[in-house]
Amino acid sequence: MSSTTTRTPKEHIEEIRRKKFSIGGEQNPLTEDLHHAVKNLSAELYAKDVHFLMELIQNAEDNHYKDGEKPTLEFVITSHDITATAAPATLLVFNNENGFSPKNIESICSVGRSTKKDNRSSGYIGEKGIGFKSVFLVTAHAYIFSNGYQIRFNERPCPHCKIGYVVPEWVEEKPTLADIKKIYGAGKKSLPTTTIVLPLKPDKVNPVKQQLSSFHPEVLLFLSKIRHLSVREDNE
């Protein structure tokens, strides 16, 4: 096995799938417990009226940024089906934070475990246990592109281990980084470090558009780090 310092992001994801979720290996006796924990999480999630956009803003606020970087969070909603999931609209969230570390990736593949639980001021977008899972209120597939990681989480249980929400899957295409760049804007220099892609459930398109259009500039007054927050639509 490659060491932590030399393994690639893809090797890291394969290792998580093999060791934690027993995919392609021996059955982990704790898999059933994990499945029940995930079921409890989903019940808790759907019982709450979670304003998931505010959760994403709060996570971006908690993130670390390079010195001299202007902390920026951008929401783009597009009618292009870049994930090939037949979604009527897709929400992309761009954040120029430092990006996901291997530890953050392991945290997001857990139920309720978080590297920011003890220190709310040092987080990564989507890292908090139930915080990131709140995106499943509006999507059945959540994609994360950050620091070489390109992964997807599914609401439906994984066919190999029967667990949903927390099993990472490597994404080769649909979308590719080039697909995402087209939506972000060909004229812009490069993609921000972290991009979250959420193909929206059909009945959630209008509610999400309403949430996005109801943002007030005053929200920035309550944020200490985020200096630029934008919302735009990209249509065919």
Side-chain angles (χ1 to χ4, degrees), residues 6-41:
T6 57
R7 70 185 172 193
T8 65
K10 188 174 183 180
E11 286 168 346
H12 183 208
I13 295 304
E14 286 168 355
E15 186 180 292
I16 290 173
R17 286 170 64 85
R18 187 175 67 251
K19 286 189 169 178
K20 181 166 187 172
F21 300 108
S22 308
I23 295 172
E26 287 180 30
Q27 184 68 33
N28 182 338
L30 295 175
T31 300
E32 199 172 328
D33 289 349
L34 190 56
H35 176 61
H36 288 303
V38 170
K39 276 183 79 172
N40 291 341
L41 168 75

mmCIF file of all heavy atoms in Angstrom, residues 6-41:
data_model
loop_
_atom_site.group_PDB
_atom_site.id
_atom_site.type_symbol
_atom_site.label_atom_id
_atom_site.label_comp_id
_atom_site.label_asym_id
_atom_site.label_seq_id
_atom_site.Cartn_x
_atom_site.Cartn_y
_atom_site.Cartn_z
ATOM 1 N N THR A 6 2.458 9.683 -0.499
ATOM 2 C CA THR A 6 2.682 9.482 -1.932
ATOM 3 C C THR A 6 1.441 9.015 -2.687
ATOM 4 O O THR A 6 1.437 9.031 -3.898
ATOM 5 C CB THR A 6 3.804 8.441 -2.158
ATOM 6 O OG1 THR A 6 3.437 7.227 -1.485
ATOM 7 C CG2 THR A 6 5.133 8.934 -1.610
ATOM 8 N N ARG A 7 0.391 8.599 -1.990
ATOM 9 C CA ARG A 7 -0.779 8.105 -2.712
ATOM 10 C C ARG A 7 -1.498 9.263 -3.407
ATOM 11 O O ARG A 7 -1.517 10.391 -2.926
ATOM 12 C CB ARG A 7 -1.724 7.356 -1.769
ATOM 13 C CG ARG A 7 -2.416 8.248 -0.794
ATOM 14 C CD ARG A 7 -3.256 7.503 0.204
ATOM 15 N NE ARG A 7 -3.708 8.472 1.210
ATOM 16 C CZ ARG A 7 -4.255 8.138 2.361
ATOM 17 N NH1 ARG A 7 -4.409 6.875 2.678
ATOM 18 N NH2 ARG A 7 -4.651 9.073 3.210
ATOM 19 N N THR A 8 -2.108 8.936 -4.513
ATOM 20 C CA THR A 8 -2.863 9.952 -5.257
ATOM 21 C C THR A 8 -4.257 10.077 -4.633
ATOM 22 O O THR A 8 -4.698 9.179 -3.904
ATOM 23 C CB THR A 8 -3.022 9.525 -6.726
ATOM 24 O OG1 THR A 8 -3.824 8.329 -6.765
ATOM 25 C CG2 THR A 8 -1.680 9.269 -7.385
ATOM 26 N N PRO A 9 -4.985 11.174 -4.925
ATOM 27 C CA PRO A 9 -6.359 11.274 -4.432
ATOM 28 C C PRO A 9 -7.210 10.066 -4.832
ATOM 29 O O PRO A 9 -7.987 9.548 -4.031
ATOM 30 C CB PRO A 9 -6.871 12.562 -5.088
ATOM 31 C CG PRO A 9 -5.649 13.412 -5.231
ATOM 32 C CD PRO A 9 -4.558 12.425 -5.586
ATOM 33 N N LYS A 10 -7.022 9.571 -6.057
ATOM 34 C CA LYS A 10 -7.815 8.423 -6.517
ATOM 35 C C LYS A 10 -7.491 7.173 -5.700
ATOM 36 O O LYS A 10 -8.391 6.408 -5.314
ATOM 37 C CB LYS A 10 -7.570 8.164 -8.011
ATOM 38 C CG LYS A 10 -8.511 7.117 -8.586
ATOM 39 C CD LYS A 10 -8.347 6.980 -10.098
ATOM 40 C CE LYS A 10 -9.360 5.989 -10.658
ATOM 41 N NZ LYS A 10 -9.224 5.844 -12.117
ATOM 42 N N GLU A 11 -6.200 6.968 -5.415
ATOM 43 C CA GLU A 11 -5.796 5.816 -4.586
ATOM 44 C C GLU A 11 -6.381 5.930 -3.181
ATOM 45 O O GLU A 11 -6.779 4.931 -2.578
ATOM 46 C CB GLU A 11 -4.269 5.731 -4.522
ATOM 47 C CG GLU A 11 -3.627 5.236 -5.803
ATOM 48 C CD GLU A 11 -2.113 5.436 -5.839
ATOM 49 O OE1 GLU A 11 -1.582 6.199 -4.993
ATOM 50 O OE2 GLU A 11 -1.469 4.844 -6.715
ATOM 51 N N HIS A 12 -6.440 7.160 -2.678
ATOM 52 C CA HIS A 12 -7.005 7.387 -1.352
ATOM 53 C C HIS A 12 -8.483 6.984 -1.323
ATOM 54 O O HIS A 12 -8.952 6.322 -0.391
ATOM 55 C CB HIS A 12 -6.833 8.857 -0.956
ATOM 56 C CG HIS A 12 -7.312 9.170 0.423
ATOM 57 N ND1 HIS A 12 -7.769 10.418 0.782
ATOM 58 C CD2 HIS A 12 -7.426 8.392 1.534
ATOM 59 C CE1 HIS A 12 -8.122 10.391 2.057
ATOM 60 N NE2 HIS A 12 -7.935 9.182 2.534
ATOM 61 N N ILE A 13 -9.231 7.364 -2.357
ATOM 62 C CA ILE A 13 -10.659 7.027 -2.433
ATOM 63 C C ILE A 13 -10.840 5.509 -2.542
ATOM 64 O O ILE A 13 -11.705 4.915 -1.887
ATOM 65 C CB ILE A 13 -11.337 7.749 -3.624
ATOM 66 C CG1 ILE A 13 -11.318 9.273 -3.411
ATOM 67 C CG2 ILE A 13 -12.769 7.243 -3.829
ATOM 68 C CD1 ILE A 13 -11.954 9.757 -2.116
ATOM 69 N N GLU A 14 -9.997 4.870 -3.351
ATOM 70 C CA GLU A 14 -10.081 3.406 -3.486
ATOM 71 C C GLU A 14 -9.817 2.733 -2.141
ATOM 72 O O GLU A 14 -10.449 1.738 -1.792
ATOM 73 C CB GLU A 14 -9.077 2.917 -4.544
ATOM 74 C CG GLU A 14 -9.538 3.233 -5.973
ATOM 75 C CD GLU A 14 -8.438 3.026 -7.014
ATOM 76 O OE1 GLU A 14 -7.283 2.734 -6.624
ATOM 77 O OE2 GLU A 14 -8.731 3.180 -8.212
ATOM 78 N N GLU A 15 -8.867 3.305 -1.383
ATOM 79 C CA GLU A 15 -8.533 2.759 -0.065
ATOM 80 C C GLU A 15 -9.714 2.899 0.906
ATOM 81 O O GLU A 15 -10.041 1.970 1.649
ATOM 82 C CB GLU A 15 -7.309 3.509 0.482
ATOM 83 C CG GLU A 15 -6.758 2.952 1.769
ATOM 84 C CD GLU A 15 -5.555 3.749 2.240
ATOM 85 O OE1 GLU A 15 -4.504 3.706 1.569
ATOM 86 O OE2 GLU A 15 -5.679 4.439 3.263
ATOM 87 N N ILE A 16 -10.370 4.055 0.881
ATOM 88 C CA ILE A 16 -11.548 4.264 1.746
ATOM 89 C C ILE A 16 -12.644 3.257 1.386
ATOM 90 O O ILE A 16 -13.252 2.639 2.260
ATOM 91 C CB ILE A 16 -12.086 5.710 1.606
ATOM 92 C CG1 ILE A 16 -11.104 6.714 2.231
ATOM 93 C CG2 ILE A 16 -13.471 5.845 2.269
ATOM 94 C CD1 ILE A 16 -11.464 8.172 1.992
ATOM 95 N N ARG A 17 -12.887 3.086 0.089
ATOM 96 C CA ARG A 17 -13.933 2.154 -0.358
ATOM 97 C C ARG A 17 -13.608 0.723 0.079
ATOM 98 O O ARG A 17 -14.487 -0.021 0.519
ATOM 99 C CB ARG A 17 -14.076 2.222 -1.890
ATOM 100 C CG ARG A 17 -14.776 3.484 -2.363
ATOM 101 C CD ARG A 17 -14.690 3.628 -3.884
ATOM 102 N NE ARG A 17 -15.375 2.564 -4.598
ATOM 103 C CZ ARG A 17 -16.676 2.563 -4.874
ATOM 104 N NH1 ARG A 17 -17.449 3.555 -4.470
ATOM 105 N NH2 ARG A 17 -17.217 1.554 -5.551
ATOM 106 N N ARG A 18 -12.325 0.365 -0.036
ATOM 107 C CA ARG A 18 -11.917 -1.006 0.292
ATOM 108 C C ARG A 18 -11.908 -1.252 1.806
ATOM 109 O O ARG A 18 -12.466 -2.226 2.293
ATOM 110 C CB ARG A 18 -10.525 -1.257 -0.294
ATOM 111 C CG ARG A 18 -10.039 -2.696 -0.183
ATOM 112 C CD ARG A 18 -8.723 -2.895 -0.897
ATOM 113 N NE ARG A 18 -7.626 -2.175 -0.254
ATOM 114 C CZ ARG A 18 -7.028 -1.097 -0.764
ATOM 115 N NH1 ARG A 18 -7.434 -0.600 -1.922
ATOM 116 N NH2 ARG A 18 -6.046 -0.489 -0.127
ATOM 117 N N LYS A 19 -11.268 -0.326 2.549
ATOM 118 C CA LYS A 19 -11.075 -0.560 3.985
ATOM 119 C C LYS A 19 -12.304 -0.229 4.821
ATOM 120 O O LYS A 19 -12.651 -0.945 5.748
ATOM 121 C CB LYS A 19 -9.893 0.284 4.489
ATOM 122 C CG LYS A 19 -8.552 -0.251 4.062
ATOM 123 C CD LYS A 19 -7.464 0.503 4.792
ATOM 124 C CE LYS A 19 -6.121 -0.177 4.606
ATOM 125 N NZ LYS A 19 -5.055 0.579 5.289
ATOM 126 N N LYS A 20 -12.945 0.888 4.499
ATOM 127 C CA LYS A 20 -14.054 1.328 5.340
ATOM 128 C C LYS A 20 -15.370 0.675 4.945
ATOM 129 O O LYS A 20 -16.181 0.329 5.795
ATOM 130 C CB LYS A 20 -14.184 2.849 5.270
ATOM 131 C CG LYS A 20 -15.296 3.377 6.146
ATOM 132 C CD LYS A 20 -15.196 4.849 6.337
ATOM 133 C CE LYS A 20 -16.231 5.294 7.343
ATOM 134 N NZ LYS A 20 -16.062 6.678 7.722
ATOM 135 N N PHE A 21 -15.575 0.534 3.630
ATOM 136 C CA PHE A 21 -16.863 0.032 3.156
ATOM 137 C C PHE A 21 -16.785 -1.385 2.581
ATOM 138 O O PHE A 21 -17.767 -1.874 2.023
ATOM 139 C CB PHE A 21 -17.454 1.013 2.137
ATOM 140 C CG PHE A 21 -17.677 2.386 2.711
ATOM 141 C CD1 PHE A 21 -16.874 3.454 2.350
ATOM 142 C CD2 PHE A 21 -18.682 2.606 3.651
ATOM 143 C CE1 PHE A 21 -17.075 4.728 2.892
ATOM 144 C CE2 PHE A 21 -18.892 3.863 4.199
ATOM 145 C CZ PHE A 21 -18.084 4.926 3.819
ATOM 146 N N SER A 22 -15.609 -2.024 2.707
ATOM 147 C CA SER A 22 -15.428 -3.429 2.293
ATOM 148 C C SER A 22 -15.814 -3.673 0.839
ATOM 149 O O SER A 22 -16.351 -4.728 0.505
ATOM 150 C CB SER A 22 -16.256 -4.363 3.188
ATOM 151 O OG SER A 22 -15.990 -4.114 4.538
ATOM 152 N N ILE A 23 -15.572 -2.688 -0.028
ATOM 153 C CA ILE A 23 -15.912 -2.857 -1.445
ATOM 154 C C ILE A 23 -14.728 -3.534 -2.131
ATOM 155 O O ILE A 23 -13.613 -3.017 -2.126
ATOM 156 C CB ILE A 23 -16.237 -1.492 -2.100
ATOM 157 C CG1 ILE A 23 -17.502 -0.910 -1.452
ATOM 158 C CG2 ILE A 23 -16.413 -1.645 -3.603
ATOM 159 C CD1 ILE A 23 -17.816 0.507 -1.856
ATOM 160 N N GLY A 24 -14.975 -4.714 -2.675
ATOM 161 C CA GLY A 24 -13.905 -5.464 -3.332
ATOM 162 C C GLY A 24 -13.002 -6.180 -2.353
ATOM 163 O O GLY A 24 -11.929 -6.655 -2.725
ATOM 164 N N GLY A 25 -13.420 -6.266 -1.087
ATOM 165 C CA GLY A 25 -12.605 -6.944 -0.078
ATOM 166 C C GLY A 25 -13.491 -7.744 0.850
ATOM 167 O O GLY A 25 -14.638 -8.041 0.539
ATOM 168 N N GLU A 26 -12.945 -8.075 2.004
ATOM 169 C CA GLU A 26 -13.721 -8.850 2.983
ATOM 170 C C GLU A 26 -14.811 -7.985 3.592
ATOM 171 O O GLU A 26 -14.647 -6.786 3.752
ATOM 172 C CB GLU A 26 -12.796 -9.358 4.094
ATOM 173 C CG GLU A 26 -11.882 -10.496 3.661
ATOM 174 C CD GLU A 26 -10.985 -10.953 4.809
ATOM 175 O OE1 GLU A 26 -11.405 -10.841 5.970
ATOM 176 O OE2 GLU A 26 -9.865 -11.403 4.512
ATOM 177 N N GLN A 27 -15.899 -8.634 3.964
ATOM 178 C CA GLN A 27 -17.015 -7.909 4.575
ATOM 179 C C GLN A 27 -16.603 -7.361 5.936
ATOM 180 O O GLN A 27 -16.065 -8.071 6.766
ATOM 181 C CB GLN A 27 -18.213 -8.860 4.736
ATOM 182 C CG GLN A 27 -19.483 -8.210 5.269
ATOM 183 C CD GLN A 27 -20.093 -7.228 4.272
ATOM 184 O OE1 GLN A 27 -20.005 -7.439 3.085
ATOM 185 N NE2 GLN A 27 -20.685 -6.167 4.755
ATOM 186 N N ASN A 28 -16.831 -6.056 6.134
ATOM 187 C CA ASN A 28 -16.546 -5.421 7.416
ATOM 188 C C ASN A 28 -17.738 -5.685 8.345
ATOM 189 O O ASN A 28 -18.862 -5.352 8.011
ATOM 190 C CB ASN A 28 -16.361 -3.913 7.192
ATOM 191 C CG ASN A 28 -16.008 -3.166 8.463
ATOM 192 O OD1 ASN A 28 -16.268 -3.630 9.572
ATOM 193 N ND2 ASN A 28 -15.411 -2.000 8.288
ATOM 194 N N PRO A 29 -17.497 -6.273 9.527
ATOM 195 C CA PRO A 29 -18.620 -6.569 10.428
ATOM 196 C C PRO A 29 -19.377 -5.324 10.893
ATOM 197 O O PRO A 29 -20.511 -5.416 11.353
ATOM 198 C CB PRO A 29 -17.947 -7.276 11.616
ATOM 199 C CG PRO A 29 -16.503 -6.915 11.532
ATOM 200 C CD PRO A 29 -16.214 -6.710 10.083
ATOM 201 N N LEU A 30 -18.743 -4.161 10.757
ATOM 202 C CA LEU A 30 -19.399 -2.925 11.200
ATOM 203 C C LEU A 30 -20.268 -2.290 10.113
ATOM 204 O O LEU A 30 -20.936 -1.299 10.356
ATOM 205 C CB LEU A 30 -18.349 -1.914 11.664
ATOM 206 C CG LEU A 30 -17.541 -2.301 12.904
ATOM 207 C CD1 LEU A 30 -16.466 -1.265 13.186
ATOM 208 C CD2 LEU A 30 -18.454 -2.457 14.109
ATOM 209 N N THR A 31 -20.228 -2.866 8.912
ATOM 210 C CA THR A 31 -20.982 -2.278 7.793
ATOM 211 C C THR A 31 -22.465 -2.146 8.115
ATOM 212 O O THR A 31 -23.091 -1.132 7.820
ATOM 213 C CB THR A 31 -20.781 -3.103 6.507
ATOM 214 O OG1 THR A 31 -19.387 -3.114 6.200
ATOM 215 C CG2 THR A 31 -21.525 -2.489 5.337
ATOM 216 N N GLU A 32 -23.023 -3.165 8.753
ATOM 217 C CA GLU A 32 -24.450 -3.128 9.067
ATOM 218 C C GLU A 32 -24.769 -2.006 10.062
ATOM 219 O O GLU A 32 -25.763 -1.290 9.929
ATOM 220 C CB GLU A 32 -24.906 -4.474 9.643
ATOM 221 C CG GLU A 32 -26.413 -4.657 9.548
ATOM 222 C CD GLU A 32 -26.855 -6.063 9.933
ATOM 223 O OE1 GLU A 32 -26.084 -7.017 9.685
ATOM 224 O OE2 GLU A 32 -27.952 -6.189 10.466
ATOM 225 N N ASP A 33 -23.878 -1.830 11.060
ATOM 226 C CA ASP A 33 -24.056 -0.743 12.030
ATOM 227 C C ASP A 33 -24.024 0.606 11.310
ATOM 228 O O ASP A 33 -24.810 1.509 11.604
ATOM 229 C CB ASP A 33 -22.940 -0.754 13.091
ATOM 230 C CG ASP A 33 -23.080 -1.925 14.045
ATOM 231 O OD1 ASP A 33 -24.132 -2.585 13.998
ATOM 232 O OD2 ASP A 33 -22.155 -2.173 14.827
ATOM 233 N N LEU A 34 -23.081 0.727 10.371
ATOM 234 C CA LEU A 34 -22.931 1.977 9.623
ATOM 235 C C LEU A 34 -24.183 2.245 8.799
ATOM 236 O O LEU A 34 -24.669 3.376 8.727
ATOM 237 C CB LEU A 34 -21.693 1.884 8.721
ATOM 238 C CG LEU A 34 -21.230 3.161 8.029
ATOM 239 C CD1 LEU A 34 -20.977 4.272 9.040
ATOM 240 C CD2 LEU A 34 -19.969 2.905 7.234
ATOM 241 N N HIS A 35 -24.719 1.181 8.214
ATOM 242 C CA HIS A 35 -25.944 1.312 7.414
ATOM 243 C C HIS A 35 -27.089 1.865 8.275
ATOM 244 O O HIS A 35 -27.822 2.765 7.865
ATOM 245 C CB HIS A 35 -26.322 -0.044 6.823
ATOM 246 C CG HIS A 35 -27.607 -0.034 6.062
ATOM 247 N ND1 HIS A 35 -27.794 0.760 4.944
ATOM 248 C CD2 HIS A 35 -28.781 -0.688 6.259
ATOM 249 C CE1 HIS A 35 -29.030 0.567 4.489
ATOM 250 N NE2 HIS A 35 -29.637 -0.293 5.276
ATOM 251 N N HIS A 36 -27.217 1.356 9.500
ATOM 252 C CA HIS A 36 -28.276 1.836 10.399
ATOM 253 C C HIS A 36 -28.026 3.280 10.816
ATOM 254 O O HIS A 36 -28.966 4.078 10.925
ATOM 255 C CB HIS A 36 -28.384 0.928 11.629
ATOM 256 C CG HIS A 36 -28.982 -0.406 11.317
ATOM 257 N ND1 HIS A 36 -30.231 -0.555 10.746
ATOM 258 C CD2 HIS A 36 -28.491 -1.667 11.459
ATOM 259 C CE1 HIS A 36 -30.489 -1.842 10.559
ATOM 260 N NE2 HIS A 36 -29.449 -2.535 10.972
ATOM 261 N N ALA A 37 -26.753 3.623 11.036
ATOM 262 C CA ALA A 37 -26.412 5.000 11.412
ATOM 263 C C ALA A 37 -26.781 5.968 10.284
ATOM 264 O O ALA A 37 -27.314 7.052 10.524
ATOM 265 C CB ALA A 37 -24.924 5.105 11.729
ATOM 266 N N VAL A 38 -26.525 5.546 9.052
ATOM 267 C CA VAL A 38 -26.856 6.375 7.894
ATOM 268 C C VAL A 38 -28.367 6.520 7.757
ATOM 269 O O VAL A 38 -28.882 7.595 7.447
ATOM 270 C CB VAL A 38 -26.227 5.792 6.603
ATOM 271 C CG1 VAL A 38 -26.762 6.509 5.375
ATOM 272 C CG2 VAL A 38 -24.718 5.918 6.647
ATOM 273 N N LYS A 39 -29.101 5.427 8.013
ATOM 274 C CA LYS A 39 -30.557 5.503 7.944
ATOM 275 C C LYS A 39 -31.093 6.493 8.985
ATOM 276 O O LYS A 39 -32.006 7.268 8.713
ATOM 277 C CB LYS A 39 -31.160 4.113 8.180
ATOM 278 C CG LYS A 39 -31.215 3.271 6.922
ATOM 279 C CD LYS A 39 -31.869 1.931 7.151
ATOM 280 C CE LYS A 39 -33.388 2.054 7.172
ATOM 281 N NZ LYS A 39 -34.031 0.720 7.213
ATOM 282 N N ASN A 40 -30.494 6.473 10.178
ATOM 283 C CA ASN A 40 -30.902 7.420 11.223
ATOM 284 C C ASN A 40 -30.580 8.849 10.814
ATOM 285 O O ASN A 40 -31.352 9.770 11.042
ATOM 286 C CB ASN A 40 -30.188 7.097 12.552
ATOM 287 C CG ASN A 40 -30.688 5.798 13.149
ATOM 288 O OD1 ASN A 40 -31.763 5.331 12.798
ATOM 289 N ND2 ASN A 40 -29.896 5.207 14.027
ATOM 290 N N LEU A 41 -29.410 9.020 10.178
ATOM 291 C CA LEU A 41 -29.007 10.351 9.709
ATOM 292 C C LEU A 41 -30.009 10.869 8.692
ATOM 293 O O LEU A 41 -30.440 12.021 8.763
ATOM 294 C CB LEU A 41 -27.616 10.275 9.062
ATOM 295 C CG LEU A 41 -27.190 11.520 8.276
ATOM 296 C CD1 LEU A 41 -26.795 12.643 9.210
ATOM 297 C CD2 LEU A 41 -26.059 11.205 7.319
#
